[in-house]
Short mmCIF file of all heavy atoms in Angstrom, two decimals:
data_model
loop_
_atom_site.label_atom_id
_atom_site.label_comp_id
_atom_site.label_asym_id
_atom_site.label_seq_id
_atom_site.Cartn_x
_atom_site.Cartn_y
_atom_site.Cartn_z
N LEU H 12 100.72 117.81 139.19
CA LEU H 12 101.86 118.73 139.28
C LEU H 12 101.41 120.16 139.04
O LEU H 12 101.76 121.08 139.76
CB LEU H 12 102.93 118.32 138.28
CG LEU H 12 104.19 119.16 138.27
CD1 LEU H 12 104.93 119.05 139.59
CD2 LEU H 12 105.10 118.69 137.14
N TYR H 13 100.57 120.34 137.99
CA TYR H 13 100.07 121.69 137.69
C TYR H 13 99.27 122.25 138.86
O TYR H 13 99.39 123.41 139.23
CB TYR H 13 99.20 121.66 136.43
CG TYR H 13 99.99 121.86 135.20
CD1 TYR H 13 100.05 120.89 134.20
CD2 TYR H 13 100.73 123.02 135.02
CE1 TYR H 13 100.81 121.07 133.08
CE2 TYR H 13 101.52 123.21 133.89
CZ TYR H 13 101.55 122.24 132.91
OH TYR H 13 102.29 122.41 131.80
N SER H 14 98.39 121.41 139.47
CA SER H 14 97.58 121.92 140.56
C SER H 14 98.46 122.29 141.75
O SER H 14 98.21 123.26 142.44
CB SER H 14 96.50 120.93 140.96
OG SER H 14 97.09 119.72 141.40
N ALA H 15 99.53 121.51 141.97
CA ALA H 15 100.48 121.85 143.04
C ALA H 15 101.16 123.18 142.74
O ALA H 15 101.34 124.02 143.65
CB ALA H 15 101.51 120.75 143.19
N LEU H 16 101.53 123.38 141.47
CA LEU H 16 102.17 124.65 141.10
C LEU H 16 101.21 125.81 141.28
O LEU H 16 101.57 126.87 141.78
CB LEU H 16 102.61 124.58 139.63
CG LEU H 16 103.84 123.74 139.34
CD1 LEU H 16 104.09 123.70 137.83
CD2 LEU H 16 105.06 124.27 140.05
N ALA H 17 99.95 125.59 140.87
CA ALA H 17 98.97 126.66 140.99
C ALA H 17 98.78 127.03 142.47
O ALA H 17 98.68 128.20 142.82
CB ALA H 17 97.64 126.20 140.38
N LYS H 18 98.77 126.00 143.34
CA LYS H 18 98.58 126.24 144.76
C LYS H 18 99.77 127.05 145.32
O LYS H 18 99.60 128.01 146.06
CB LYS H 18 98.49 124.89 145.48
CG LYS H 18 97.74 124.98 146.82
CD LYS H 18 97.55 123.59 147.41
CE LYS H 18 96.55 122.76 146.63
NZ LYS H 18 96.36 121.41 147.19
N ALA H 19 100.98 126.65 144.89
CA ALA H 19 102.18 127.36 145.37
C ALA H 19 102.15 128.82 144.93
O ALA H 19 102.51 129.72 145.66
CB ALA H 19 103.43 126.67 144.85
N LEU H 20 101.68 129.03 143.69
CA LEU H 20 101.63 130.38 143.12
C LEU H 20 100.65 131.23 143.89
O LEU H 20 100.93 132.36 144.25
CB LEU H 20 101.22 130.27 141.64
CG LEU H 20 101.46 131.46 140.76
CD1 LEU H 20 102.92 131.87 140.83
CD2 LEU H 20 101.10 131.12 139.33
N SER H 21 99.47 130.67 144.15
CA SER H 21 98.43 131.47 144.81
C SER H 21 98.76 131.74 146.29
O SER H 21 98.40 132.74 146.85
CB SER H 21 97.07 130.79 144.70
OG SER H 21 97.13 129.53 145.35
N SER H 22 99.49 130.81 146.91
CA SER H 22 99.81 131.00 148.34
C SER H 22 101.05 131.86 148.52
O SER H 22 101.39 132.24 149.63
CB SER H 22 100.07 129.64 148.99
OG SER H 22 101.26 129.08 148.47
N GLY H 23 101.76 132.16 147.41
CA GLY H 23 102.99 132.92 147.52
C GLY H 23 104.07 132.16 148.24
O GLY H 23 104.93 132.73 148.91
N ALA H 24 104.04 130.84 148.11
CA ALA H 24 105.01 129.99 148.83
C ALA H 24 106.43 130.31 148.39
O ALA H 24 106.69 130.51 147.21
CB ALA H 24 104.71 128.52 148.56
N VAL H 25 107.34 130.38 149.36
CA VAL H 25 108.75 130.64 149.03
C VAL H 25 109.41 129.32 148.62
O VAL H 25 109.29 128.33 149.33
CB VAL H 25 109.47 131.22 150.27
CG1 VAL H 25 110.95 131.44 149.98
CG2 VAL H 25 108.80 132.51 150.69
N PRO H 26 110.07 129.29 147.46
CA PRO H 26 110.69 128.04 147.03
C PRO H 26 111.80 127.61 147.99
O PRO H 26 112.56 128.44 148.47
CB PRO H 26 111.26 128.38 145.65
CG PRO H 26 111.41 129.86 145.65
CD PRO H 26 110.31 130.37 146.54
N GLN H 27 111.86 126.32 148.28
CA GLN H 27 112.92 125.79 149.14
C GLN H 27 114.17 125.53 148.31
O GLN H 27 114.07 125.11 147.14
CB GLN H 27 112.46 124.48 149.78
CG GLN H 27 111.31 124.66 150.77
CD GLN H 27 111.60 125.71 151.83
OE1 GLN H 27 112.59 125.60 152.54
NE2 GLN H 27 110.76 126.73 151.93
N PRO H 28 115.35 125.76 148.84
CA PRO H 28 116.59 125.47 148.09
C PRO H 28 116.62 124.01 147.69
O PRO H 28 116.29 123.13 148.49
CB PRO H 28 117.71 125.81 149.07
CG PRO H 28 117.08 126.69 150.10
CD PRO H 28 115.65 126.32 150.17
N ARG H 29 117.02 123.75 146.45
CA ARG H 29 117.04 122.39 145.92
C ARG H 29 117.96 121.48 146.74
O ARG H 29 117.71 120.30 146.90
CB ARG H 29 117.47 122.46 144.44
CG ARG H 29 117.75 121.14 143.78
CD ARG H 29 116.53 120.23 143.69
NE ARG H 29 115.48 120.81 142.91
CZ ARG H 29 114.19 120.41 143.00
NH1 ARG H 29 113.85 119.49 143.88
NH2 ARG H 29 113.26 120.97 142.25
N GLU H 30 119.07 122.05 147.30
CA GLU H 30 120.03 121.23 148.03
C GLU H 30 119.36 120.53 149.22
O GLU H 30 119.80 119.47 149.64
CB GLU H 30 121.19 122.09 148.55
CG GLU H 30 122.13 122.63 147.48
CD GLU H 30 121.50 123.77 146.69
OE1 GLU H 30 120.61 124.46 147.22
OE2 GLU H 30 121.89 123.96 145.54
N CYS H 31 118.35 121.15 149.79
CA CYS H 31 117.71 120.59 150.98
C CYS H 31 116.65 119.54 150.61
O CYS H 31 116.15 118.85 151.47
CB CYS H 31 117.03 121.70 151.78
SG CYS H 31 118.15 123.02 152.20
N ALA H 32 116.28 119.47 149.36
CA ALA H 32 115.18 118.61 148.95
C ALA H 32 115.70 117.30 148.39
O ALA H 32 116.84 117.20 147.93
CB ALA H 32 114.34 119.33 147.89
N ALA H 33 114.84 116.28 148.43
CA ALA H 33 115.16 115.00 147.80
C ALA H 33 115.17 115.19 146.28
O ALA H 33 114.53 116.13 145.78
CB ALA H 33 114.12 113.97 148.20
N PRO H 34 115.85 114.32 145.53
CA PRO H 34 115.81 114.44 144.07
C PRO H 34 114.38 114.40 143.56
O PRO H 34 113.55 113.65 144.11
CB PRO H 34 116.59 113.20 143.59
CG PRO H 34 117.42 112.78 144.74
CD PRO H 34 116.67 113.20 145.97
N PRO H 35 114.03 115.22 142.59
CA PRO H 35 112.64 115.30 142.15
C PRO H 35 112.20 113.98 141.47
O PRO H 35 112.99 113.31 140.83
CB PRO H 35 112.65 116.45 141.14
CG PRO H 35 114.06 116.54 140.67
CD PRO H 35 114.92 116.10 141.81
N ASP H 36 110.91 113.66 141.66
CA ASP H 36 110.36 112.49 140.96
C ASP H 36 110.33 112.79 139.47
O ASP H 36 109.84 113.83 139.06
CB ASP H 36 108.93 112.21 141.43
CG ASP H 36 108.89 111.82 142.90
OD1 ASP H 36 109.89 111.24 143.36
OD2 ASP H 36 107.89 112.12 143.56
N PRO H 37 110.81 111.85 138.64
CA PRO H 37 110.77 112.12 137.21
C PRO H 37 109.33 112.14 136.69
O PRO H 37 108.44 111.50 137.25
CB PRO H 37 111.56 110.95 136.59
CG PRO H 37 111.67 109.92 137.65
CD PRO H 37 111.46 110.59 138.97
N ILE H 38 109.11 112.91 135.63
CA ILE H 38 107.80 112.88 134.95
C ILE H 38 108.03 112.53 133.49
O ILE H 38 109.10 112.79 132.94
CB ILE H 38 107.03 114.23 135.07
CG1 ILE H 38 107.90 115.43 134.69
CG2 ILE H 38 106.42 114.41 136.43
CD1 ILE H 38 107.15 116.75 134.67
#
Side-chain angles (χ1 to χ4, degrees):
L12 180 63
Y13 271 119
S14 61
L16 286 176
K18 203 174 290 179
L20 197 55
S21 61
S22 68
V25 177
Q27 294 306 304
R29 171 63 62 200
E30 291 74 25
C31 305
D36 295 330
I38 50 175

